[in-house]
Amino acid sequence: MKATIYFRGSLSSCNYDCPYCPFSKNIDSQETLTKDRLQVQKFVDWVGKQEESGHQLSVFFNPYGEGLTHRWYREAMVKLSHMQHVNKVAIQTNLSAKLDWTRDLNPITAAFWVTYHPGQTKEERFLQQCGKLYEQKISFSVGSVGLKSAFSSISSLRNALPDDVYMWVNAYKDKKDYYSAEDLAFLSDVDPYFGLNAQDYDSMDKPCRAGKNVFYVQGDGRVKRCYKDRLVIGNLYRDGLDGIAQERPCRMRQCDCYIGYIHMEEQPFDSIYGERALERIAILS
């Protein structure tokens, strides 16, 4: 099976304190961090054994917090990037951690989804971090939340990044009619596909790869077809992918999250992102 696995362990803390993010207020106990470390290591061990089953896997780490400040996420990225049956390993990160370890990555399979948080880091420092990935030819995208207060920082960053680094913008949806026509034009100039992210998608009973060959795995092995859908469809370590995979139309009324709607089969995202959907790099003409 060719499958995509999103993995989220027990980590729920970050070294940033963005006001719009609930996890920036959390401080994980040593017990929680140990639990998360063991969960990540067990998952990596499981992935390593899947070559015997003939599975080709793509893995995305999207913890509720910043993973790369913790050694076990860095080690997981390196190990997975060198497994022959792992087509892609990517992580969602603020890129604040030291990057000397990235020299050990396989640059062909490793990738980063990088989020810029104005006010939490200086642009110069952030660009230096991006530059290290760029020099090593490791795939990465850069993005930011489209808060109006961040528009000048978003514009400055876009102008400073290399032209061939794709920059995305996440629509701020907490307030209805938040953007003016001028705002939408500005953000679409930064990210040509901003308009696709700014909308929600009717998804009830619509075909989706989630649950069929895309799986959302919790730290203890519980598998959901989607993070927004609370129904547990199996356990990765007990049932394996073959025991879980089946056609599962969406049970949610709408899909509003990138890591969900890109897998809707009736939407155009395959032609937009191709094989680089995990790290969120669009194909630009």
Side-chain angles (χ1 to χ4, degrees), residues 140-154:
F140 69 101
S141 68
V142 174
S144 188
V145 178
L147 293 167
K148 293 184 181 181
S149 60
F151 279 14
S152 61
S153 297
I154 290 172

Side-chain angles (χ1 to χ4, degrees), residues 68 74 78 97-105 125 129 132-133 136 138:
L68 292 182
R74 302 191 296 268
V78 171
K98 291 182 179 180
L99 295 178
D100 51 339
W101 63 277
T102 58
R103 293 191 296 268
D104 297 325
L105 288 169
R125 160 68 176 166
Q129 293 288 85
K132 293 175 183 177
L133 297 181
Q136 295 176 68
I138 297 174

Side-chain angles (χ1 to χ4, degrees), residues 113-265:
W113 165 328
V114 181
T115 305
Y116 177 55
H117 301 279
Q120 301 294 315
T121 184
K122 294 184 181 299
E123 181 182 302
E124 181 181 4
R125 160 68 176 166
F126 183 80
L127 286 168
Q128 287 174 347
Q129 293 288 85
C130 291
K132 293 175 183 177
L133 297 181
Y134 192 79
E135 290 170 4
Q136 295 176 68
K137 301 186 185 308
I138 297 174
S139 294
F140 69 101
S141 68
V142 174
S144 188
V145 178
L147 293 167
K148 293 184 181 181
S149 60
F151 279 14
S152 61
S153 297
I154 290 172
S155 178
S156 178
L157 183 66
R158 174 62 278 177
N159 290 332
L161 285 168
D163 291 341
D164 58 342
V165 172
Y166 175 64
M167 184 169 179
W168 47 266
V169 180
N170 268 352
Y172 183 71
K173 298 181 179 180
D174 289 359
K175 293 182 179 180
K176 187 177 180 180
D177 300 323
Y178 181 66
Y179 297 113
S180 67
E182 290 77 13
D183 295 335
L184 293 172
F186 164 73
L187 293 171
S188 296
D189 186 55
V190 174
D191 175 6
Y193 298 108
F194 172 76
L196 294 176
N197 179 261
Q199 61 181 295
D200 298 339
Y201 295 87
D202 292 335
S203 56
M204 179 71 76
D205 294 327
K206 298 291 180 67
C208 182
R209 290 187 291 271
K212 181 174 66 174
N213 55 18
V214 177
F215 307 95
Y216 299 77
V217 179
Q218 305 294 120
D220 59 4
R222 285 175 298 153
V223 182
K224 300 178 181 180
R225 63 168 300 281
C226 178
Y227 283 140
K228 295 275 179 114
D229 189 335
R230 295 184 179 182
L231 179 67
V232 175
I233 61 176
N235 186 283
L236 187 68
Y237 306 126
R238 182 191 66 220
D239 306 312
L241 293 182
D242 292 327
I244 297 171
Q246 67 180 61
E247 293 275 357
R248 289 184 170 91
C250 185
R251 305 190 324 143
M252 312 303 290
R253 186 175 65 86
Q254 287 190 317
C255 187
D256 63 355
C257 179
Y258 173 87
I259 66 172
Y261 62 66
I262 59 169
H263 302 297
M264 293 178 66
E265 295 180 10

